[in-house]
Amino acid sequence: MEKILLAWQAATLSGIVAWIVMSSILDVTRKIRFLIQPWVIHHVKTGIPLILQIQKSQHKVLDALFSGVSCIVSVPFYTGFLPLLFWSGHGKLARQMTLLMAFCDYIGNCIKDVISAPRPSCPPVRRLTATKDEEENAQEYGLPSSHTLNTVCLSGYLLSYILSYNPRSDGPEVFVGFAMICLLIGLIALGRIYLGMHSLIDIIGGLALGLIILAFWLTVHEYVDTFVTAGKNVTTFWAALSFLLFFAYPTPELPTPSFEFHTAFNGVAFGIVAGVQQTYHQFHHEDVPRIFTPELATPTFIGRIAVGIPTILLVKFCSKALAKWILPVALNTMGIPIRSTTYLPALNGSATGKQSGYLQKIFFSSRGDSFDVDSGIRFIQYAGLAWAVVDLVPTLFSQLNL
């Protein structure tokens, strides 16, 4: 069995490397974009009258409603919500939703940047961005709608999880749960159009892709969880996978924040996997105390939040500072040319690293490119935050009897 698992890991990584090489040689991204982008742009333009018709109902109440609904299914919301889910004792649900979120984010953003189809033009469409997160989202390409995609996958998985732990649920309960999910998805979809963030084709694309990913995840999630909690060579494999996903990501027509979002959640997934792999039998097995039980009363859970949130924010800050100090030195030592657009102003628009190292020859020299060190820094800081959620903070809880 162990040999089969190692062979599967090697085959997976080798397959990704082969895809990176072949897609680069055959210029797959541009060819797919050439075929699909005009069709999508046509549907975005022809969908503008529908958006304008919906926006005729403009009202401050609707502005607040749809902006609020968009916020509660955004990436920052899930980033804040998932740690609480881990600390509430629902470790399996938390890690599965985290990995599913990372998977959705990667697939959805890859498709966005491959197709590079614009959002509805503003004007004539009115675009309402109530938060900084929405302003960044507006800089991404449109198809598919990430909000619709994430809502379908995560709410669908949550319903499946609840039903699996309550096998005696009758028809009315299942119907009510399904109806609530449909209502939420409908509100999200209508809200993205009302806010001017997406056209109908983006919503349909997000809904269809979400259903496909959800069906796939419900098929493999038990295997994934068994691998993460009890597999061999898990952390090493996931580190290699995370590294390769940087280079497997497609190049968009114009730069967007999509790759940054992927990098952050890629780091979160790695931190969760590495932490759970080390501490599963201590803090994350199925018999841990759960919230609203005598073993984990509400005041204790509030104490966990009071200790946990500042701790993970401190770890994130320290991880970022450490990465900004160590990563440029390490990459320069390996001869990899680097640049920075955000975290290291001294490297803004420039590339350092004069040696012709082996990694540079493989990934950079053929394209005359340089590595944006911000991606590595972002990955490390979010990996540190996620590791703290599942390893450091539960250790503190144990020491403090929380």
Side-chain angles (χ1 to χ4, degrees):
M1 179 61 75
E2 185 173 344
K3 290 183 179 179
I4 294 175
L5 182 60
L6 291 175
W8 171 80
Q9 294 176 8
T12 300
L13 298 178
S14 298
I16 295 175
V17 171
W19 166 252
I20 293 171
V21 174
M22 293 304 297
S23 63
S24 178
I25 293 174
L26 299 177
D27 201 12
V28 171
T29 297
R30 291 182 185 231
K31 291 178 179 178
I32 294 176
R33 184 179 300 146
F34 176 78
L35 291 173
I36 299 179
Q37 188 189 64
W39 180 82
V40 176
I41 291 177
H42 169 73
H43 281 80
V44 171
K45 290 180 178 179
T46 56
I48 288 179
L50 173 63
I51 301 174
L52 296 177
Q53 185 68 29
I54 291 174
Q55 290 187 337
K56 284 183 179 180
S57 304
Q58 176 183 345
H59 193 279
K60 290 183 179 180
V61 174
L62 293 178
D63 290 353
L65 171 65
F66 290 126
S67 296
V69 171
S70 294
C71 287
I72 65 171
V73 295
S74 63
V75 171
F77 170 79
Y78 288 118
T79 304
F81 170 72
L82 291 172
L84 306 186
L85 201 56
F86 275 106
W87 302 336
S88 70
H90 294 276
K92 181 178 181 180
L93 175 62
R95 59 182 174 265
Q96 282 296 305
M97 290 190 71
T98 302
L99 296 179
L100 176 56
M101 182 76 180
F103 188 66
C104 290
D105 185 73
Y106 188 80
I107 298 298
N109 285 349
C110 278
I111 293 175
K112 282 179 186 284
D113 284 352
V114 166
I115 299 175
S116 296
R119 294 176 184 270
S121 2
C122 173
V125 170
R126 180 189 75 125
R127 182 166 298 143
L128 180 63
T129 54
T131 64
K132 183 179 178 181
D133 178 61
E134 281 287 80
E135 292 176 0
E136 292 180 343
N137 288 337
Q139 297 174 31
E140 295 184 290
Y141 290 112
L143 179 73
S145 166
S146 296
H147 282 70
T148 306
L149 166 62
N150 293 340
T151 304
V152 169
C153 288
L154 296 176
S155 60
Y157 185 81
L158 179 61
L159 177 61
S160 172
Y161 178 86
I162 293 173
L163 294 178
S164 69
Y165 274 82
N166 295 275
R168 297 181 181 178
S169 299
D170 54 17
E173 291 177 344
V174 175
F175 175 79
V176 169
F178 183 75
M180 291 177 64
I181 287 177
C182 290
L183 176 61
L184 177 60
I185 294 171
L187 282 173
I188 294 297
L190 179 61
R192 301 314 284 167
I193 296 176
Y194 175 86
L195 296 173
M197 296 293 287
H198 286 287
S199 59
L200 181 61
I201 187 67
D202 302 336
I203 300 299
I204 295 174
L207 179 61
L209 183 61
L211 291 173
I212 292 171
I213 292 178
L214 177 61
F216 169 76
W217 197 260
L218 291 175
T219 303
V220 304
H221 72 112
E222 290 292 351
Y223 300 103
V224 173
D225 199 62
T226 300
F227 174 68
V228 170
T229 58
K232 301 292 184 182
N233 201 36
V234 176
T235 302
T236 304
F237 167 78
W238 213 281
L241 177 65
S242 300
F243 177 75
L244 291 177
L245 288 179
F246 278 118
F247 300 99
Y249 193 90
T251 302
E253 195 169 50
L254 296 172
T256 72
S258 295
F259 181 72
E260 298 176 7
F261 298 153
H262 146 67
T263 302
F265 250 95
N266 194 9
V268 168
F270 174 70
I272 293 296
V273 169
V276 169
Q277 170 68 195
Q278 295 295 319
T279 62
Y280 174 72
H281 295 290
Q282 294 173 268
F283 307 124
H284 304 292
H285 54 86
E286 288 300 288
D287 296 325
V288 297
R290 293 184 175 178
I291 192 171
F292 305 132
T293 64
E295 293 80 12
L296 183 54
T298 302
T300 303
F301 181 65
I302 293 174
R304 288 187 171 192
I305 296 175
V307 171
I309 295 297
T311 302
I312 64 174
L313 292 178
L314 178 61
V315 170
K316 180 185 175 184
F317 173 81
C318 293
S319 299
K320 178 180 177 181
L322 191 63
K324 288 169 64 176
W325 173 47
I326 293 179
L327 199 56
V329 176
L331 293 175
N332 277 326
T333 301
M334 291 186 288
I336 299 176
I338 61 175
R339 68 186 188 279
S340 174
T341 54
T342 304
Y343 293 129
L344 301 172
L347 298 180
N348 190 10
S350 65
T352 66
K354 298 180 180 179
Q355 301 176 8
S356 182
Y358 184 62
L359 290 176
Q360 179 182 346
K361 291 178 181 178
I362 295 177
F363 295 111
F364 302 102
S365 292
S366 61
R367 301 180 303 181
D369 203 353
S370 57
F371 182 74
D372 188 349
V373 74
D374 293 349
S375 298
I377 294 171
R378 187 175 294 109
F379 176 87
I380 291 173
Q381 68 169 320
Y382 280 94
L385 180 148
W387 166 80
V389 168
V390 296
D391 192 334
L392 177 61
V393 171
T395 301
L396 292 178
F397 293 161
S398 178
Q399 296 296 322
L400 298 172
N401 294 321
L402 288 175

